[in-house]
Amino acid sequence: MDNKAFFKLTYGLFVAGTTWEDKQNACIINTATQATSEPGRMLATMMKTNYTTELIQKKGSLTISVLALDCPLNLIGNFGFSSGRDRNKFEEIPYALDEQGNPYLLEHIIARFSCKVEQTIDLGTHSLFVCAVTEAEVTGSGQPMTYASYRILKTGGSVPGLEKPETAAKATETAAAAVPEKPQKRWVCSVCHYVYDGEIPFEELPEDYVCPVCKRPKSVFVLEES
Ligand SMILES: Cc1cc2nc3c(=O)[nH]c(=O)nc-3n(C[C@H](O)[C@H](O)[C@H](O)COP(=O)(O)O)c2cc1C
């Protein structure tokens, strides 16, 4: 099976947020989608190991913030590459609470939803939350960030509808001038999107190597080239 086929699907990029016992937490997801319109229902598939998932299960509700195409990549890093078990992800992030007390972002989003979990389907490593939408608001006029655009932007590429910030564009030009063009390769966890950056070449890692973030086996990593 070629796991890279999953990268050919079209996804958005979202921040799923919740609150439990005065603790706000959130993480990046690309698996939020509309299920029905009347009544409004959304689905979100989340790794059971995520702290956000644990808190959503306790609270029974969550927010889904739709990231804007021009959102800073470090915002995605803030919510997607570390756990709220280790740090307060909202420390420097402007946010508000919805009617259920769950946090949503006030900047860099174009819409937000409040969701009440109606059903939780056990998918083994993941939980699939089937949710009733209780609030929905358009908060900005820009384009949504897609998973495909994010993957291009994080490797210094450009996407239609988004001007590269001058400094980033300059940095890319300088890097391009200094380094002879050769395809960049990286091993990426297809489950949690962790990018392997160890000293040992990925191919030489032992077969029992597991992703340090989501603990899935070496076999779920895919080789990306750009
Ligand atoms: C681009 C991207 C997409 C992601 N998509 C999902 C997803 O759909 N479901 C999920 O459970 N985690 C997803 N993650 C991983 C979580 O955001 C990540 O494991 C996060 O650190 C969990 O934080 P927490 O422990 O505070 O909940 C994604 C991460 C990135 C960077």
Side-chain angles (χ1 to χ4, degrees):
M1 183 157 82
D2 185 354
N3 280 341
K4 276 182 276 185
F6 292 107
F7 292 147
K8 304 295 178 195
L9 296 172
T10 305
Y11 307 96
L13 221 49
F14 314 95
V15 176
T18 195
T19 299
W20 180 250
E21 290 176 345
D22 297 331
K23 164 89 183 170
Q24 271 88 46
N25 196 50
C27 73
I28 298 289
I29 59 169
N30 62 281
T31 50
T33 184
Q34 181 179 358
T36 58
S37 52
E38 289 291 336
R41 270 202 203 94
M42 292 184 76
L43 309 174
T45 314
M46 304 202 37
M47 283 186 281
K48 287 181 185 169
T49 48
N50 286 359
Y51 187 44
T52 314
T53 312
E54 189 185 316
L55 300 185
I56 292 170
Q57 259 150 1
K58 289 179 177 157
K59 169 91 178 183
S61 60
L62 67 150
T63 56
I64 293 175
S65 299
V66 181
L67 287 173
L69 182 60
D70 60 0
C71 81
L73 295 188
N74 62 9
L75 182 74
I76 298 174
N78 179 62
F79 287 105
F81 291 120
S82 63
S83 179
R85 287 193 184 90
D86 308 321
R87 52 184 284 271
N88 176 7
K89 294 187 190 181
F90 279 100
E91 197 166 10
E92 292 175 10
I93 307 286
Y95 69 96
L97 300 179
D98 71 0
E99 281 175 8
Q100 295 167 93
N102 294 321
Y104 59 91
L105 305 195
L106 287 174
E107 292 177 356
H108 309 301
I109 69 166
I110 58 165
R112 57 126 189 150
F113 298 90
S114 295
C115 300
K116 194 169 177 322
V117 178
E118 286 184 328
Q119 275 183 63
T120 303
I121 298 171
D122 188 341
L123 300 178
T125 53
H126 288 62
S127 294
L128 169 60
F129 296 121
V130 181
C131 304
V133 175
T134 57
E135 287 176 55
E137 184 188 5
V138 174
T139 58
S141 57
Q143 295 294 308
M145 174 66 88
T146 65
Y147 185 40
S149 297
Y150 164 66
R151 286 161 52 77
I152 293 168
L153 292 168
K154 74 177 178 163
T155 53
S158 51
V159 295
L162 185 63
E163 290 294 315
K164 261 192 202 174
E166 207 187 329
T167 46
K170 277 211 178 112
T172 311
E173 273 165 30
T174 315
V179 182
E181 242 182 56
K182 62 169 188 179
Q184 284 212 336
K185 292 184 176 180
R186 63 187 70 73
W187 285 91
V188 183
C189 174
S190 63
V191 176
C192 74
H193 311 270
Y194 165 77
V195 180
Y196 176 71
D197 64 353
E199 304 268 299
I200 304 168
F202 185 82
E203 293 83 347
E204 291 169 27
L205 290 171
E207 284 316 304
D208 60 358
Y209 171 80
V210 292
C211 171
V213 177
C214 70
K215 315 293 179 216
R216 304 295 292 154
K218 190 180 174 186
S219 57
V220 305
F221 277 76
V222 294
L223 182 61
E224 269 189 29
E225 290 187 40
S226 59

